[in-house]
Amino acid sequence: MSSENRSHFSASCSGVTEEARAKINLALHVTGQRADGYHLLDMLVTFAECGDRLGFLPAQADAFTLSGPFGETLAGDSGTNLVLRARDLLRETLGALAFPVHIHLQKNLPIASGIGGGSADAAATLRGLMRLWGMSLPVESLSSLALKLGADVPMCLESRPLIARGIGERIEAVPQLPAFAMVLANPLKGVSTPEVFRRLAAKNNPALHLAPGLSGTSGWLTAIGSARNDLEAPARELVPEITVILQMLRAHGALITRMSGSGATCFGVFTSMAAAQEAASALHGERPDWYVQATETVSGGM
Ligand code: C5P
């Protein structure tokens, strides 16, 4: 972190910080569609150590600042930014005691990239502001408020391994899921989630079945390897580089590769963090214009 960024997070002991971890869809099965157009999904989800970082400080008036490698891409988007929508929605719910706040977002994750950046930021805003404002909400009220911000926001509130069903709101923790050494790679071409869903040919695909009592890294990797991301085919039509990324991750030793969310970020699971870091620097050398990140995911036991 640069000294400029660090100062945003250590400016005052009365402020709080929150991590907005990258969300990784280890599996994403599209099993149907609701009458309102939203798709029914079965997802096995984990979260990575890498992510965005948010700082919250009491202020005279509301303010929002950005830094980080992808901060500039978001500048000027203050009307639709999910961080500000989360702040406003929470304030509406909590009322007058929700005093003005300076929110700083260090944007480390690429935008519209299938690893939940915006959703993770919104969830971190809800968590951070409740801490700053010294208030809490019942779990059910908080998750329905999160769902209003986006289908992935309730799971990002959890930020630990889980299975999500419905449109993402029916969440079950997966404490047995181990940590994985991973490389994330993205060609820095944003993907529109609605557009990927629109291109999806089959909406009624087989559900995700994980054998009960799965344990150990190799057992989980076998199970994940036989699952799917049903959005991969339509996303490849929009971003042909996805095919190349998956091939490159395999060529550098990934045990399993897959696209996350609606893309275009793909991940490879490696035998160790040393192997992941080696693969990431080789990939970065070959494609310096891509986002490439070695990271460890959190384990279900955390
Ligand atoms: O809820 P969120 O803002 O993340 O969704 C973005 C868009 O993706 C929705 O407007 C919808 O078109 C599509 N979507 C969907 N089914 C889901 C989640 C999202 O069709 N389960």
Side-chain angles (χ1 to χ4, degrees), residues 30-119:
V30 182
T31 59
Q33 192 170 25
R34 298 196 316 197
D36 66 359
Y38 268 80
H39 293 77
L40 295 169
L41 311 172
D42 279 354
M43 296 179 275
L44 176 65
V45 178
T46 193
F47 290 84
E49 295 289 357
C50 70
D52 296 338
R53 201 147 189 253
L54 288 94
F56 306 88
L57 277 174
Q60 293 296 319
D62 279 337
F64 178 54
T65 50
L66 286 153
S67 66
F70 299 103
E72 253 178 45
T73 325
L74 278 187
D77 166 42
S78 54
T80 52
N81 191 294
L82 271 182
V83 168
L84 302 187
R85 286 182 48 211
R87 175 200 66 193
D88 295 345
L89 198 58
L90 188 63
R91 182 175 275 142
E92 247 174 58
T93 312
L94 294 178
L97 294 173
F99 52 78
V101 55
H102 175 181
I103 304 179
H104 183 77
L105 168 60
Q106 184 185 304
K107 191 75 203 159
N108 301 320
L109 300 176
I111 317 292
S113 65
I115 49 177
S119 305

Side-chain angles (χ1 to χ4, degrees), residues 200-226:
L200 181 69
K203 318 265 182 186
N204 296 298
N205 303 292
L208 174 67
H209 287 297
L210 295 170
L214 273 175
S215 70
T217 302
S218 68
W220 274 100
L221 286 182
T222 306
I224 294 165
S226 58

Side-chain angles (χ1 to χ4, degrees), residues 101-267:
V101 55
H102 175 181
I103 304 179
H104 183 77
L105 168 60
Q106 184 185 304
K107 191 75 203 159
N108 301 320
L109 300 176
I111 317 292
S113 65
I115 49 177
S119 305
D121 295 344
T125 301
L126 296 178
R127 290 193 305 260
L129 286 180
M130 282 196 304
R131 283 172 57 206
L132 186 78
W133 288 335
M135 296 181 200
S136 61
L137 282 174
V139 178
E140 301 76 38
S141 319
L142 188 60
S143 8
S144 67
L145 195 140
L147 191 60
K148 285 188 194 161
L149 294 163
D152 284 354
V153 183
M155 68 178 97
C156 290
L157 265 181
E158 300 280 329
S159 278
R160 61 197 167 122
L162 52 84
I163 289 174
R165 297 199 169 84
I167 66 165
E169 81 288 10
R170 282 171 42 212
I171 292 172
E172 190 188 315
V174 184
Q176 312 85 341
L177 193 81
F180 297 113
M182 216 174 242
V183 173
L184 306 177
N186 181 295
L188 294 185
K189 286 197 172 167
V191 177
S192 152
T193 302
E195 180 61 22
V196 172
F197 275 110
R198 251 195 307 278
R199 287 171 177 260
L200 181 69
K203 318 265 182 186
N204 296 298
N205 303 292
L208 174 67
H209 287 297
L210 295 170
L214 273 175
S215 70
T217 302
S218 68
W220 274 100
L221 286 182
T222 306
I224 294 165
S226 58
R228 317 178 301 275
N229 181 344
D230 290 327
L231 299 181
E232 210 169 283
R236 276 174 207 253
E237 289 173 18
L238 292 169
V239 184
E241 286 93 332
I242 289 166
T243 309
V244 181
I245 297 172
L246 292 167
Q247 280 163 357
M248 288 174 85
L249 285 166
R250 277 193 291 273
H252 286 292
L255 304 170
I256 279 185
T257 59
R258 185 157 293 148
M259 189 185 84
S260 179
S262 54
T265 304
C266 298
F267 66 85

